[in-house]
Amino acid sequence: MKPRSESDSNASGCRSQSAFALIDGNSFYVSCERVFNPKLEGKPLVVLSNNDGACIARSEEAKALGVPMAVPYFQIRKAFERAGGIAYSSNYGVYAELSQRMMSVIGQFSDRQEVYSIDESFIQWTGFHRFDLTTLAVDLRKRVKRWVGIPAGVGIGATKTLAKSANRLSKKHPDFKAQGVCNLLALPEAVQDTYLARLEVGDVWGVGARWAQKLQSLRIRSALDLKQVDPGWIRQQVSVVLERTALELRGIASIELEEAPPPKQQIISSRSFGQPVTSLDELSQAVSAYTARAAENLRAQASRAGALTVFLQTNPFDPKEPQYYPSITIRLGPSSADTRILMRAALSGLKHIYKPGCRYRKAGVMLPDLSAATVEQGDLFSELFDPAAGIIQQADRERLMTTLDQLNQKLGRGTLWIVAEGFQQNWRMRRENLSPAYYTSHWDQLPVVRA
């Protein structure tokens, strides 16, 4: 291991003059289920992945029963239910709605916010020396709980990496768990170091399992070790990304707040089927539906796709079944975000790769080669650019897609859809324990109060 650096003289950047806070919902999916069903409070509860497969969220009571993260539910179902445990299917529509509400409340506490994930948000405070940030964080946490119903933890630090570490302490360490807030800036640096020494390097934000193994081989085993090592040496031995992490642990802000997330470089829409699918008709419906979702996301980030890949997959865990994992990429000519054009390409590709006699468990589409919708490469040989009617035709297509998106946003996803997506959709993923959508997206599932 390289001798520890005695100063920051070789480090780029400067000491952060701002405070960062990371706020995230505790066991977010579980908390969302409890918002509308208070009877679930205090009970062992898990939320399951697609097709009710694995446990992807656990209440504290479920963790106390020894339920591991990502364990297949069928392995623990009998024992879990005997212990009074309850399992719910993932209700992504409700979770997304509550996430938007939570992020909106968090945004009231700072004009600089980065929505990092469905249950996490960074905010940045400047001029923080004028405020008691611990009290401010407590108020933020109370407002999220009161207005949205989600319990949250808050971590505060001089950088995003330190805020992430503080957030972990706010949930795990008894010194902070009761209040749900850990403000590292309120602690002397020597005290901060005692907590960083207890944080394994693999648990530092952005390190990951592969780099953790590399760092441990260099005798860097804790967050404190990574903080104290020479950042330039880390860049040489591992990567420039971990150099920034080491600088961040020193309080040198090296990772900027992303208030406007950059557009995705590719978009994937895929799901496992609730039951094996064999017919081309059902596969066509599924691929059409996935293409519609991908196109919706494409337009939401104001992009167009220059190609589309469609793929199929049989069950890799059943060696008795024929195995088949085909894919095909179709160039689109002019880039497009029109659902109908993308769907036409997807169905054409599906016909080329479909093989009868296989029991397919998964299908999906991927949109690579993305470009901004404002940048358009013409094609003299495309029907979209007919010299006589091409411009008007293209404008009509864009207005149609805009109307489709606006109606589905206002009245709920699936209000309008392309008929190729089908009606019965027997291939949809299995969700046997799905909670109601309540008032978040379906009027017919409004709770009824009787006198």
Side-chain angles (χ1 to χ4, degrees):
M1 175 177 170
K2 181 76 172 178
R4 293 172 177 174
S5 174
E6 297 298 330
S7 70
D8 292 334
S9 59
N10 296 326
S12 60
C14 59
R15 291 285 176 182
S16 174
Q17 299 301 310
S18 298
F20 292 85
L22 176 66
I23 306 94
D24 78 329
N26 299 342
S27 301
F28 185 69
Y29 289 178
V30 165
S31 296
C32 288
E33 296 292 346
R34 286 173 166 172
V35 167
F36 298 107
N37 190 353
K39 292 180 180 179
L40 298 175
E41 291 286 349
K43 295 183 178 179
L45 177 65
V46 297
V47 175
L48 306 177
S49 62
N50 294 344
N51 293 310
D52 294 342
C55 300
I56 57 173
R58 304 159 296 160
S59 68
E60 291 298 323
E61 296 80 8
K63 294 175 185 178
L65 290 176
V67 177
M69 186 65 169
V71 64
Y73 185 57
F74 76 90
Q75 295 181 2
I76 65 163
R77 181 170 186 168
K78 291 183 179 179
F80 186 61
E81 291 179 350
R82 280 199 301 268
I86 302 169
Y88 274 91
S89 305
S90 296
N91 197 334
Y92 299 118
V94 169
Y95 306 155
E97 174 69 22
L98 289 177
S99 172
Q100 292 174 3
R101 297 180 188 185
M102 185 174 81
M103 299 309 167
S104 177
V105 173
I106 293 171
Q108 296 174 7
F109 285 79
S110 173
D111 59 353
R112 299 206 63 198
Q113 179 182 18
E114 173 188 340
V115 177
Y116 183 67
S117 68
I118 191 171
D119 65 335
E120 294 178 287
S121 177
F122 286 101
I123 58 175
Q124 185 175 4
W125 285 309
T126 55
F128 65 90
H129 56 280
R130 303 175 184 177
F131 302 96
D132 180 344
L133 291 188
T134 301
T135 300
L136 189 60
V138 169
D139 291 343
L140 185 158
R141 187 170 180 265
K142 287 180 179 178
R143 188 177 299 183
V144 169
K145 176 63 175 175
R146 186 185 310 119
W147 290 14
V148 187
I150 302 295
V154 183
I156 303 172
T159 66
K160 291 174 71 176
T161 301
L162 286 171
K164 185 79 171 179
S165 299
N167 181 273
R168 185 178 182 86
L169 289 169
S170 75
K171 296 174 181 295
K172 303 291 184 182
H173 202 283
D175 291 350
F176 310 104
K177 191 173 182 179
Q179 190 178 45
V181 173
C182 173
N183 180 7
L184 291 179
L185 292 174
L187 305 174
E189 186 170 1
V191 177
Q192 293 184 39
D193 286 350
T194 62
Y195 290 113
L196 292 179
R198 302 172 191 172
L199 181 64
E200 294 183 6
V201 72
D203 292 330
V204 174
W205 182 49
V207 171
R210 181 172 61 86
W211 281 346
Q213 186 176 11
K214 172 69 173 179
L215 290 172
Q216 288 168 357
S217 72
L218 299 171
R219 293 186 293 167
I220 301 174
R221 299 184 176 89
S222 70
L224 181 61
D225 291 338
L226 184 56
K227 171 186 175 180
Q228 294 178 333
V229 78
D230 180 7
W233 183 77
I234 282 292
R235 180 180 68 247
Q236 295 173 355
Q237 296 293 322
V238 189
S239 74
V240 67
V241 174
L242 279 190
E243 178 193 24
R244 288 197 293 266
T245 299
L247 289 170
E248 290 253 317
L249 289 172
R250 294 181 175 205
I252 301 171
S254 304
I255 304 175
E256 295 294 329
L257 203 71
E258 293 186 358
E259 297 178 80
K264 296 179 181 178
Q265 298 302 306
Q266 65 179 19
I267 293 174
I268 299 175
S269 179
S270 175
R271 286 285 188 275
S272 297
F273 301 137
Q275 57 189 16
V277 174
T278 58
S279 74
L280 180 60
D281 286 344
E282 283 194 301
L283 284 174
S284 297
Q285 291 180 16
V287 167
S288 296
Y290 300 152
T291 303
R293 298 292 82 76
E296 181 181 323
N297 293 334
L298 185 67
R299 294 189 294 271
Q301 69 171 34
S303 296
R304 290 176 176 163
L308 180 145
T309 299
V310 59
F311 57 89
L312 299 172
Q313 180 178 312
T314 54
N315 187 355
F317 304 105
D318 190 349
K320 297 180 181 179
E321 294 285 344
Q323 299 298 304
Y324 185 46
Y325 311 99
S327 67
I328 187 172
T329 299
I330 301 96
R331 300 299 305 181
L332 297 177
S335 298
S336 178
D338 189 311
T339 299
R340 297 169 302 169
I341 294 174
L342 297 173
M343 202 174 285
R344 189 185 311 154
L347 294 178
S348 173
L350 176 63
K351 290 178 182 178
H352 280 84
I353 64 175
Y354 170 72
K355 184 167 72 174
C358 292
R359 289 162 55 86
Y360 298 99
R361 291 307 304 261
K362 189 175 184 179
V365 298
M366 179 175 67
L367 301 179
D369 190 18
L370 305 188
S371 60
T374 54
V375 179
E376 185 171 343
Q377 177 65 48
D379 185 347
L380 293 175
F381 302 99
S382 169
E383 64 176 20
L384 297 181
F385 294 89
D386 186 316
I391 297 177
I392 298 176
Q393 186 180 21
Q394 179 68 9
D396 288 343
R397 290 176 184 273
E398 292 177 355
R399 280 196 294 270
L400 177 61
M401 291 299 104
T402 299
T403 302
L404 176 69
D405 292 340
Q406 289 176 345
L407 284 172
N408 283 332
Q409 289 171 7
K410 182 176 181 179
L411 302 177
R413 173 174 284 181
T415 300
L416 289 181
W417 75 97
I418 308 296
V419 71
E421 299 178 48
F423 293 91
Q424 293 183 333
Q425 298 186 338
N426 296 324
W427 45 267
R428 292 181 70 88
M429 66 179 178
R430 184 174 65 253
R431 293 194 288 181
E432 296 177 352
N433 301 314
L434 186 66
S435 58
Y438 304 102
Y439 63 86
T440 61
S441 55
H442 292 276
W443 285 100
D444 58 348
Q445 295 184 28
L446 277 169
V448 177
V449 178
R450 293 184 175 87

